[in-house]
Amino acid sequence: MTSDFGAVRENLFSASHGAIADWTAFPWHRDRTNRIQAHKVHSSQAIAIDVFGTLKMSTDRDRIFDAIAERAGVAPGGPWAITLEWTDTNRLLGEPRPTQVDALAVGSKSALVIECKFTEPGGQCSQTTALSSGERQCNGSYADQINPRNGVRAHCALTGKGIRYWEYIPEVFKLDPGADHTPCPFKGDAYQWMRNAVLAAAIGKHRNLEAVAIAAFADHPGFPTAQKVKRGLVDPGYTGRAAVTPISYQQIIAIARQVGIDEELWNRLSAWVDHKIAKAASVHSRKSAIQLREAPGF
């Protein structure tokens, strides 16, 4: 374990280290062998800590989050409190396992629900995955159907399990919950961004704050989320305004340079992040090439 933490520290920007109060208790992302993954150059958790851990510890924190809030269309106003790997212990969405987001920033007027991506795409809904029986709990549409696993009739298999996404979706995405939608508006990785958007709405209601979801991503042409941002994280036809505001790590650091005072810190963080993105892009490119060569019919 000690050797794990040594490798992790080397892969984290030094100014972010203080954001982790207890390195043993921190909810590190782990692989199937329980090994901490933040030592890897392409670790999404590591680059999130690089940036948001540094912001958390910086004396420029309030100025920077005020600027990010304004960019996302919610009210600025500190002091801002930043929690890395925040867990919804209130289970505001009724999920059986509490939602965990990469960072939550809470000011005096607004909250920012921050999901971070590096070289990976967004997560997808599991309800359309085939069961061992070959059946699927959802047919891929938002339409009246019966879940073969539990026998519950609902438009959404998750609603049938008591999960409250569709209590917030109508307002956030301007969708009629009584109408059929074929295919589901949140197929593919739009599902994860929907979850973050409705979680933000739930937090805003619970805390009486303005709230919005932020997609923090590494902007590189070879990375899936960066590509998705250019097409739209969620179909803009489903919402009156952007339900999720994408801001790249590079843009966040540019904001820090513009409004912050500690120019030397942000220049160092910029160089660190740029170097990490370049290294991760090289690894990602090699893996993609290997997968292509091994694909059937190549």
Side-chain angles (χ1 to χ4, degrees):
M1 186 67 72
T2 302
S3 61
D4 275 1
F5 286 141
V8 169
R9 285 177 183 274
E10 289 180 3
N11 193 41
L12 295 177
F13 187 62
S14 59
S16 73
H17 291 182
I20 303 172
D22 186 335
W23 287 69
T24 303
F26 189 76
W28 299 103
H29 297 177
R30 298 175 182 269
D31 63 17
R32 293 179 180 178
T33 67
N34 205 37
R35 177 96 189 268
I36 295 171
Q37 295 296 286
H39 69 283
K40 295 184 176 180
V41 67
H42 61 277
S43 164
S44 179
Q45 185 177 43
I47 198 170
I49 295 170
D50 288 337
V51 176
F52 290 103
T54 300
L55 289 175
K56 176 183 173 75
M57 302 308 296
S58 170
T59 56
D60 288 335
R61 178 182 60 241
D62 289 347
R63 285 183 287 271
I64 295 166
F65 277 100
D66 274 352
I68 293 173
E70 289 182 322
R71 182 183 180 119
V74 293
W80 286 90
I82 318 303
T83 304
L84 302 179
E85 299 295 344
W86 177 83
T87 299
D88 174 25
T89 54
N90 292 306
R91 301 194 178 186
L92 298 175
L93 297 174
E95 297 167 310
R97 185 173 66 180
T99 294
Q100 184 170 300
V101 295
D102 296 306
L104 178 70
V106 179
S108 59
K109 299 178 181 178
S110 300
L112 308 177
V113 175
I114 304 166
E115 181 69 24
C116 301
K117 295 296 178 188
F118 198 174
T119 64
E120 78 280 18
Q124 301 185 23
C125 181
S126 63
Q127 302 304 292
T128 57
T129 302
L131 302 171
S132 58
S133 64
E135 296 177 301
R136 301 173 191 275
Q137 298 185 75
C138 173
N139 63 18
S141 294
Y142 179 81
D144 186 54
Q145 56 187 293
I146 297 175
N147 183 336
R149 168 170 276 184
N150 59 18
V152 175
R153 179 184 292 274
H155 271 63
C156 171
L158 295 172
T159 301
K161 296 178 179 182
I163 296 174
R164 302 173 60 195
Y165 299 157
W166 278 91
E167 290 185 26
Y168 295 95
I169 284 171
E171 179 180 352
V172 175
F173 293 96
K174 312 305 179 191
L175 282 169
D176 180 359
D180 291 351
H181 301 282
T182 304
C184 176
F186 308 111
K187 66 178 182 177
D189 56 5
Y191 170 76
Q192 177 160 31
W193 305 115
M194 174 275 290
R195 285 184 64 199
N196 290 121
V198 297
L199 177 60
I203 289 172
K205 181 178 180 180
H206 181 69
R207 302 193 183 202
N208 195 28
L209 296 170
E210 293 184 48
V212 70
I214 300 285
F217 67 100
D219 193 3
H220 185 280
F223 296 164
T225 298
Q227 296 168 355
K228 181 72 172 177
V229 164
K230 292 175 174 58
R231 300 192 300 270
L233 291 172
V234 180
D235 188 328
Y238 293 136
T239 177
R241 68 178 180 87
V244 182
T245 300
I247 307 179
S248 72
Y249 289 123
Q250 295 95 321
Q251 289 170 325
I252 290 169
I253 296 170
I255 289 171
R257 281 171 157 166
Q258 181 179 1
V259 304
I261 295 172
D262 195 346
E263 182 178 357
E264 189 269 339
L265 172 65
W266 307 121
N267 285 340
R268 287 196 297 114
L269 179 61
S270 178
W272 176 274
V273 168
D274 285 348
H275 178 67
K276 182 173 280 191
I277 289 173
K279 287 180 66 176
S282 176
V283 172
H284 184 73
S285 177
R286 289 198 301 272
K287 285 185 176 179
S288 297
I290 291 170
Q291 290 170 354
L292 180 63
R293 288 198 300 271
E294 293 178 348
F298 181 77

